[in-house]
Amino acid sequence: MTEFLDDWGLTLAIFLPLVGVAIMALIPKAEEQLHKAVALIASLAVVVVGVLLVVEFDFDRAGELQFLVDRSWIDVINSRYILGLDGISMPLMLLTMLIVPLCIIYSWNHFPEPHNPKAFLILILVLQTGMIGTFLAQDLILFFVFFEVVLLPMYFMIGVWGGEQRQYAAIKFFLYTLFGSALMLVSFLALYFLADGTDTIAGVANTFDMRALPEAATAVGITAQLWIFGGMFLGFGIKVPMFPFHTWLPDAHTQAPTVGSVILAAVLLKLGTYGFIRIAIPILPEAAIEWAPFIGALAVIGIIYGALCCLAQTDMKRLIAFSSVAHMGFTMLGIATLTDFGMNAAIFGMVAHGLITGMLFFVAGSVKERYHTLEIRRLGGLLISAPKMGWILGFATMASLGLPGLAGFWGEFPVILSAYNPAEGLSVEVFRTYMVIAAVGTVFAAGYLLWLYQRTSFGTPSEEFVNDPHIHDVEIPEWIAWAPMLALILILGVYPNLVFEMTDPAVGLVSELVAAAGR
Amino acid sequence: MFFLENAWIIPSIPAASFFLILFVGKRFPNKGSEIGIVAVGAAFILSCLAGLAWIDRVDSSDHGAEAVTEAWTWWQSGGVEFTVGTLVDGLTVMMLFVVGLVSLLVHIYSTEYVKGDRRYTHFFAFLSLFTASMMMLVMAENTLQLIVAWELVGVCSFALIGHWWEEKANSDAALKAFITNRVGDVGLLVGVSILFFAAGGTFNIIEINTLANEGAITHLALLVASVGLIAAVMSKSGQFFLHTWLPDAMAGPTPVSALIHAATMVVAGIFMVARMYGVFWEGMSIPVANINLLALVGGVTTLVGASLAFVQRDIKKVLAYSTISQLGFMVLALGVGAWTAALFHLFTHAFFKACLFLGAGSVSHACHHSFDMVADMGGLRKYMPHTFRTFLIGSIALAGLPPLAGFWSKDEILAGASQLGGGGNGYPVVLAMGMITAFLTAAYTTRMVYLTFFGEYRGHGTPHESPKTITVPLWILAAFAVVGGAVNLPGKIVPDGWAYRFEHYVEPVAAYFPSVSHPEFQWGFAIIATLIAAAGVALSYAYWFQGRWHGVTERNKLAASGYRLLENKYYLDTLYTDIIVGSVKGPVARASDWVNTYIIDGVVNTAGERSAQAGRAVYTHFDQKVVDGAVNLSGTASSDAGGVLRLMQTGKIRQYATLFFAAATVLAGVLVVIV
């Protein structure tokens, strides 16, 4: 078993969804129940693989890549099929594995217009392959391919199943992200040409091997490093999204179907932040030190600016989308400190944000389905019309504003803490200023979230909805989809070490590289 | 020792009760209230046992007892494991006793007071959660845990203030409470972060305090950290100028006001300063200064609160401002170095103020749920003898007249302000503030008692005395308000074995606590303070009971404008709600959104359109087949999903990929060559 997992575990985790896709491709479109069953089984099979991987994972060596696979792939450019799982990848991989089946269950009885479960579910499964692949790839080209694979399914999901302005939102999402990844690819190629991997694990001069590149890239001059980091910064930064590259996000979220929004918020945004921790910082620590104050500045601007925009929104879903900008600002601030504290908190923040904001989008979707509107002015009294859903929204709101005891807190306070003492080579004064701004951001977060909750859930239902028979409380598929997320938000909030234990050793290696460069 | 080492059980019981009530409470015969009462009762009994165990521990050691700590791994970062645990010492067991007792009485009282409420079960669930969080707060082993519990009590406060959220005024009050507290929490987050690094990377309260005491942390770090923490005290404990949420919080049910917004949660700030006293002692230069920020905040607050209590018509608002004022007293005491006096006052205040709040609730229970003293009350002493007597006892204790509990703690604070501080000169400014407050307190208390219980009944119907579930808790609290002061009687009055028991058992004698000095009881000083309070009662009596000087605000311009200033609460609410929050929610937020739509996104859209135009130009002039794909991809609203779909189907995706990689390679080549 162990041997089998060592060789095939990660590959299975990535490509099992595609097996599901292949089966579904053979089934006629009309067999809807069958499609749902196959998709669910495929995603659950991935969960089983995930559980096995967790069982076999050696947590004492969480800093090392485990279940490593290294096979030749594109020999002409020395790009190899390298997969590996360590403490940084693990939480994000598990998050993805969890979210996908929950999305399938949630959609069970109500696929958005124009229906077509076959196509919709196939897209979700393809998306899953791309997402998990991105978190496991240890070769830049392989990483890039998975990173791009994610784009198309999401593009179609928004463009076909989305709201009224879906085409504009879809193409904007696609082009904007593509623009970033183009520059990212340029950076990868420049690294390939400039780094010297002869004496590393790669054994050749030009390599895309992410294990070898931190050492190999020390040969790259600082100017080139800065440029290369800049390209990656745009590629990852747009995906996060960082201020001022965030404008695709509210449109995409507002127009996307519910599960599209959930996946987008829960996983897709993390591809960017993950890229910083996994690729940009360890490979180019010197450039990272130069760029960090700038990234930190954009992060704290994003925190305040996102919050202010939230206060101006009249649409619930758009408000939640803007809150992502603010929350990812915290994550990016943690990353910008380049410390183990900051990056640990950032990874925790990614997982927490995935669960919490995913949950908020789920509820928003269910509200939309019942009220046929998300205009905040027309909502109100959710606690009367659908009390359980009102409670769930309240819970998610509290988690989102960083209430201690729930997951959101652990992505927020440690970030603020870490900004007090950034990595060596960074200006203490600058980061302490960021710290205070970020702390002030928590006030705004409470403001816009509680105000949203007050307007949607407190009070009494407006006359147009007071006797509406469509407005009913949480249904069974919703419970099944939400219960694991709600439980995890609480469990991780109470005992955060479940995540920190994994990430800390792995992040420690990254921060050591930075510390070495800072001296 | 068992009860000290396993103190974690105490908050766990009400915490479990919260989930139990929330999920199955409605199925119980009393709708879950019995679960809450049993759980809090059990927690209270365990708290008492822990208290006895602590007394035993102190008695059996010669040089003061070390705190009992337990810790478990909670999370890790940077290779360091951080713990969660319990820290039990005299301060903790004292707080556990207060929280447990008041909470239990409030639970019993509430079974009658909120009977038949639409959210009876939820009410008790949140009371349980609050009790658990508050007990967790007072036994926090590290500052991070303190933050967690600090926020949790805040969220309970939010939920209970907004208990009747159907009315917007109530949910507004809840939001105001939460958000104002968040403002102060900025200071808490910053302060805790500074202390974490200043103490070499630890949240451990004992370690931080010990290092601060030993002088191992720079004065500057302690100063900045304590200023940050004071901001948190200002919001949580209703200190000027972040106190404005507390009067509004009276929108919640009265038992909640008694428990959370008078006796326990609002003293969290006081507790935190007391807990981190090593930090404040050095950071605020308490032993050598004659004025400092902490004392000043307390002094100003106590005056502001007392003056505003005068102009309220609503009995709960009088008590709310009175609470602000009394909390200011405690902060003042901590600021001048009278640690024990502050905690002693916390102890006595919890009982008499809870007694007064519950009494006010009992009164309103009789008067058709009105709290308006002027319109709906008066003359109630005839109808509600038990409520009247207990309320009177609470009022005398609040006014600080001997020999009730409030007198002893107040006197110790004022004595501290006059004797401690640099060169033994005391803190003259805050002493004056404290004296004026003593006068004002006595006066507004008299006014409140007059308006409620004397004169003619002004409401409609016939008021009735409340049932035993309400009056028994009132009598218990009144009894504590009478005898509570006995726990710390001065040595000049009682034999040594009886004197200063509170100080002996509560005040830590350990490396983590600074060597505080204690004010001496002086007969002359105590008599003066009593006379000042008596003068307040007398003047107020003359005005209200005998009707002298009525109409002064109409005749005198200065008095009129003073009254208006007070009526408008020093215009702070106008400043916060209308000017600051109003502009952020309105113009500032809209401006950000405008920038987002028209500038940042405008750039993106323009870029998209321009490239689409460029694409179209290229398309018409150059090779159509190859560039076709790029055009479709760089189009904006004009393109549609079909475009890309078509690309895929016709195999152009490969062209795109080739093009893409080629372009990237060229660009990378350029980059490599240039730099």
Side-chain angles (χ1 to χ4, degrees):
Chain A
M1 192 65 202
T2 312
E3 262 178 42
F4 177 76
L5 270 186
D6 275 345
D7 291 341
W8 290 98
L10 300 186
T11 306
L12 277 178
I14 296 172
F15 293 106
L16 264 182
L18 289 190
V19 174
V21 169
I23 298 171
M24 287 167 75
L26 300 174
I27 303 172
K29 193 175 156 187
E31 300 277 346
E32 292 186 357
Q33 292 304 325
L34 196 56
H35 279 293
K36 291 177 197 168
V38 172
L40 185 62
I41 289 168
S43 65
L44 289 177
V46 178
V47 173
V48 171
V49 175
V51 171
L52 289 175
L53 288 172
V54 171
V55 172
E56 288 291 319
F57 189 79
D58 183 352
F59 285 91
D60 293 334
R61 297 186 301 121
E64 297 167 31
L65 291 171
Q66 302 182 24
F67 310 105
L68 201 72
V69 180
D70 186 352
R71 300 260 184 285
S72 71
W73 184 40
I74 311 175
D75 287 335
V76 260
I77 53 169
N78 292 331
S79 174
R80 299 178 64 79
Y81 177 78
I82 311 173
L83 301 174
L85 179 67
D86 69 357
I88 297 176
S89 305
M90 180 69 108
L92 297 166
M93 180 192 80
L94 293 177
L95 177 69
T96 315
M97 289 175 168
L98 174 78
I99 294 287
V100 170
L102 299 186
C103 282
I104 294 174
I105 294 168
Y106 178 83
S107 334
W108 205 260
N109 285 331
H110 18 67
F111 280 88
E113 287 304 312
H115 209 59
N116 196 354
K118 176 178 178 178
F120 194 76
L121 292 170
I122 285 181
L123 289 179
I124 291 185
L125 291 176
V126 174
L127 203 53
Q128 187 177 21
T129 292
M131 295 185 296
I132 296 183
T134 312
F135 292 133
L136 297 179
Q138 303 296 336
D139 177 282
L140 287 181
I141 295 299
L142 191 62
F143 174 89
F144 181 80
V145 168
F146 283 126
F147 196 83
E148 297 301 293
V149 161
V150 170
L151 271 186
L152 274 177
M154 189 45 88
Y155 169 80
F156 286 118
M157 212 181 260
I158 300 172
V160 179
W161 284 269
E164 277 163 22
Q165 290 184 311
R166 56 183 176 270
Q167 303 205 334
Y168 168 73
I171 201 88
K172 190 173 180 182
F173 161 76
F174 190 88
L175 285 179
Y176 213 142
T177 326
L178 195 69
F179 168 74
S181 17
L183 293 173
M184 185 177 87
L185 183 66
V186 172
S187 292
F188 288 177
L189 293 173
L191 257 184
Y192 175 78
F193 290 129
L194 291 174
D196 180 7
T198 317
D199 297 329
T200 65
I201 189 167
V204 284
N206 298 332
T207 178
F208 288 111
D209 189 336
M210 284 153 62
R211 298 167 298 166
L213 277 169
E215 202 184 331
T218 46
V220 183
I222 182 70
T223 323
Q225 278 204 27
L226 287 176
W227 279 99
I228 295 172
F229 195 97
M232 294 184 188
F233 166 75
L234 277 175
F236 298 139
I238 288 172
K239 199 84 171 182
V240 170
M242 295 195 70
F243 175 87
F245 311 118
H246 64 274
T247 55
W248 63 267
L249 181 83
D251 286 323
H253 267 311
T254 317
Q255 299 305 325
T258 303
V259 290
S261 287
V262 172
I263 294 179
L264 192 58
V267 187
L268 286 206
L269 305 189
K270 279 72 198 182
L271 300 181
T273 41
Y274 172 80
F276 277 105
I277 297 180
R278 170 66 74 197
I279 297 174
I281 293 171
I283 296 180
L284 301 165
E286 281 176 66
I289 292 173
E290 299 294 322
W291 272 86
F294 176 65
I295 298 176
L298 292 181
V300 293
I301 293 174
I303 293 173
I304 300 293
Y305 176 89
L308 287 176
C309 286
C310 277
L311 287 172
Q313 296 313 313
T314 53
D315 181 282
M316 183 173 166
K317 217 172 168 192
R318 206 170 161 83
L319 192 155
I320 301 170
F322 268 109
S323 81
S324 282
V325 176
H327 281 120
M328 295 317 276
F330 277 102
T331 302
M332 284 313 298
L333 179 61
I335 293 173
T337 65
L338 303 178
T339 57
D340 36 17
F341 263 84
M343 286 187 278
N344 273 325
I347 298 175
F348 202 105
M350 294 179 212
V351 176
H353 175 266
L355 293 169
I356 296 165
T357 309
M359 200 54 235
L360 284 172
F361 276 120
F362 266 141
V363 176
S366 290
V367 167
K368 170 100 186 200
E369 200 185 284
R370 288 159 172 78
Y371 289 79
H372 302 287
T373 180
L374 281 171
E375 210 178 319
I376 298 170
R377 215 159 31 85
R378 290 171 60 195
L379 301 173
L382 184 65
L383 277 166
I384 292 177
S385 314
K388 298 211 169 71
M389 199 185 298
W391 269 80
I392 291 171
L393 179 62
F395 181 83
T397 303
M398 281 295 167
S400 185
L401 64 79
L403 186 80
L406 302 178
F409 174 73
W410 297 100
E412 208 172 84
F413 174 70
V415 164
I416 294 172
L417 184 74
S418 69
Y420 184 81
N421 212 11
E424 220 170 315
L426 296 178
S427 159
V428 169
E429 288 77 17
V430 168
F431 272 87
R432 287 187 186 168
T433 313
Y434 294 165
M435 160 184 161
V436 175
I437 299 174
V440 171
T442 62
V443 179
F444 284 98
Y448 65 74
L449 283 163
L450 290 182
W451 196 31
L452 170 73
Y453 192 64
Q454 182 189 27
R455 287 178 295 171
T456 54
S457 303
F458 288 153
T460 44
S462 59
E463 277 191 14
E464 56 174 322
F465 296 122
V466 77
N467 288 320
D468 193 329
H470 293 296
I471 298 168
H472 50 85
D473 217 336
V474 185
E475 291 174 326
I476 298 290
E478 287 168 333
W479 273 124
I480 300 174
W482 296 351
M485 294 175 80
L486 296 172
L488 269 178
I489 291 171
L490 182 63
I491 292 169
L492 292 182
V494 173
Y495 189 62
N497 216 25
L498 289 176
V499 172
F500 281 119
E501 201 177 19
M502 288 187 249
T503 61
D504 193 37
V507 163
L509 300 179
V510 178
S511 68
E512 267 169 37
L513 289 170
V514 176
R519 271 185 227 117
Chain B
M1 275 305 275
F2 174 84
F3 295 106
L4 301 177
E5 281 168 355
N6 297 287
W8 60 270
I9 300 172
I10 300 174
S12 307
I13 298 170
S17 145
F18 166 68
F19 288 104
L20 207 60
I21 299 177
L22 197 61
F23 291 118
V24 296
K26 282 200 177 130
R27 292 182 205 153
F28 279 72
N30 290 331
K31 305 283 174 211
S33 60
E34 65 267 61
I35 308 176
I37 290 175
V38 168
V40 172
F44 176 59
I45 291 169
L46 287 176
S47 301
C48 291
L49 291 171
L52 291 175
W54 177 258
I55 288 173
D56 190 47
R57 185 174 166 82
V58 173
D59 286 341
S60 60
S61 66
D62 296 336
H63 307 282
E66 282 292 322
V68 180
T69 56
E70 297 289 323
W72 302 271
T73 302
W74 195 15
W75 62 295
Q76 66 171 70
S77 200
V80 184
E81 288 189 347
F82 298 101
T83 55
V84 58
T86 57
L87 157 57
V88 183
D89 64 358
L91 177 59
T92 306
V93 295
M94 186 276 284
M95 291 298 295
L96 283 177
F97 176 78
V98 171
V99 175
L101 178 64
V102 178
S103 178
L104 181 60
L105 294 177
V106 161
H107 269 80
I108 295 168
Y109 178 99
S110 302
T111 53
E112 170 65 28
Y113 191 84
V114 293
K115 191 190 268 174
D117 189 82
R118 50 201 156 193
R119 276 184 292 280
Y120 186 84
T121 305
H122 288 170
F123 178 83
F124 279 93
F126 274 109
L127 280 189
S128 274
L129 182 63
F130 170 75
T131 311
S133 314
M134 192 68 206
M135 288 178 154
M136 202 148 58
L137 180 93
V138 300
M139 57 175 70
E141 179 250 7
N142 59 65
T143 49
L144 194 57
Q145 213 179 328
L146 198 71
I147 295 180
V148 173
W150 182 275
E151 296 278 333
L152 284 180
V153 292
V155 89
C156 297
S157 160
F158 170 81
L160 288 167
I161 295 170
H163 181 70
W164 294 306
W165 38 253
E166 282 88 347
E167 281 106 76
K168 185 157 182 299
N170 298 340
S171 60
D172 276 345
L175 254 71
K176 185 175 178 180
F178 198 90
I179 294 168
T180 311
N181 271 293
R182 274 270 154 153
V183 174
D185 289 349
V186 172
L188 184 67
L189 299 182
V190 172
V192 165
S193 301
I194 293 174
L195 288 176
F196 174 82
F197 287 105
T202 180
F203 294 110
N204 188 299
I205 288 173
I206 290 186
E207 271 179 53
I208 294 174
N209 275 321
T210 309
L211 289 172
N213 272 340
E214 287 168 351
I217 303 178
T218 62
H219 180 72
L220 181 67
L222 292 175
L223 176 66
V224 180
S226 41
V227 170
L229 296 181
I230 286 174
V233 177
M234 281 163 67
S235 62
K236 191 62 100 194
S237 293
Q239 300 295 295
F240 180 79
F241 47 92
L242 292 178
H243 63 275
T244 57
W245 65 273
L246 188 53
D248 287 23
M250 298 302 131
T254 308
V256 168
S257 309
L259 175 63
I260 300 185
H261 303 117
T264 58
M265 184 196 83
V266 288
V267 301
I270 318 293
F271 169 80
M272 190 262 282
V273 178
R275 187 45 101 202
M276 308 297 294
Y277 209 52
V279 172
F280 286 91
W281 186 254
E282 178 57 35
M284 288 284 124
S285 312
I286 288 170
V288 291
N290 294 103
I291 188 72
N292 64 46
L293 184 65
L294 190 61
L296 196 64
V297 165
V300 172
T301 306
T302 191
L303 267 181
V304 166
S307 60
L308 288 174
F310 261 102
V311 296
Q312 307 302 323
R313 284 167 63 112
D314 182 316
I315 186 170
K316 278 179 79 181
K317 290 262 165 94
V318 177
L319 292 171
Y321 280 110
S322 161
T323 304
I324 291 173
S325 174
Q326 296 297 307
L327 291 167
F329 236 79
M330 299 172 207
V331 171
L332 179 160
L334 289 167
V336 303
W339 189 91
T340 310
L343 274 293
F344 184 32
H345 197 58
L346 186 161
F347 182 75
T348 58
H349 174 261
F351 302 123
F352 66 71
K353 190 52 72 60
C355 176
L356 288 172
F357 262 113
L358 293 183
S362 170
V363 166
S364 112
H365 209 50
C367 300
H368 310 279
H369 302 286
S370 166
F371 290 100
D372 192 329
M373 296 187 294
V374 180
D376 297 317
M377 294 180 190
L380 289 174
R381 70 180 189 286
K382 286 172 260 172
Y383 305 101
M384 312 181 74
H386 291 291
T387 307
F388 169 61
R389 281 177 216 152
T390 52
F391 199 87
L392 196 63
I393 292 169
S395 298
I396 297 172
L398 170 62
L401 294 175
L404 271 63
F407 166 76
W408 301 105
S409 51
K410 180 198 70 174
D411 184 70
E412 204 175 327
I413 293 176
L414 291 175
S418 76
Q419 294 169 23
L420 305 173
N425 298 328
Y427 280 72
V429 178
V430 291
L431 175 64
M433 290 170 161
M435 286 293 191
I436 298 171
T437 304
F439 173 80
L440 292 176
T441 308
Y444 72 67
T445 310
T446 311
R447 170 182 177 266
M448 171 174 69
V449 172
Y450 173 79
L451 285 175
T452 313
F453 291 101
F454 290 87
E456 287 305 311
Y457 179 59
R458 294 178 290 275
H460 50 93
T462 311
H464 53 88
E465 179 59 284
S466 303
K468 283 220 163 55
T469 35
I470 285 185
T471 52
V472 169
L474 285 179
W475 274 113
I476 295 175
L477 287 167
F480 274 97
V482 175
V483 302
V487 297
N488 207 36
L489 289 175
K492 285 187 180 165
I493 296 181
V494 289
D496 274 354
W498 291 87
Y500 297 124
R501 289 296 90 189
F502 188 87
E503 181 183 310
H504 181 64
Y505 290 116
V506 173
E507 193 177 291
V509 183
Y512 68 87
F513 191 74
S515 48
V516 298
S517 34
H518 301 98
E520 234 180 276
F521 178 82
Q522 289 166 341
W523 279 107
F525 191 82
I527 290 168
I528 292 173
T530 308
L531 286 179
I532 287 175
V537 175
L539 279 177
S540 195
Y541 184 83
Y543 183 90
W544 291 103
F545 285 77
Q546 302 181 335
R548 293 193 193 176
W549 317 300
H550 272 215
V552 64
T553 49
E554 283 92 53
R555 288 195 301 275
N556 186 317
K557 251 188 164 168
L558 192 67
S561 54
Y563 191 80
R564 213 166 35 245
L565 182 67
L566 292 180
E567 249 192 336
N568 287 297
K569 303 172 264 186
Y570 298 106
Y571 295 98
L572 284 173
D573 268 335
T574 318
L575 174 68
Y576 298 160
T577 311
D578 298 345
I579 300 178
I580 298 179
V581 175
S583 62
V584 169
K585 263 160 86 171
V588 175
R590 278 200 297 273
S592 308
D593 198 47
W594 186 88
V595 169
N596 193 60
T597 314
Y598 294 101
I599 299 188
I600 300 180
D601 208 22
V603 171
V604 175
N605 282 335
T606 314
E609 274 160 29
R610 289 287 168 276
S611 49
Q613 280 172 9
R616 260 176 245 121
V618 170
Y619 175 77
T620 42
H621 296 106
F622 295 95
D623 187 345
Q624 294 185 12
K625 281 182 183 167
V626 178
V627 189
D628 191 18
V631 173
N632 276 326
L633 283 167
S634 56
T636 56
S638 56
S639 308
D640 59 4
V644 181
L645 193 61
R646 222 171 28 247
L647 272 172
M648 252 178 122
Q649 287 164 344
T650 55
K652 280 184 183 155
I653 197 79
R654 284 185 58 189
Q655 290 180 6
Y656 142 70
T658 316
L659 193 72
F660 191 75
F661 274 86
T665 315
V666 171
L667 268 175
V670 171
L671 181 64
V672 170
V673 172
I674 290 176
V675 296

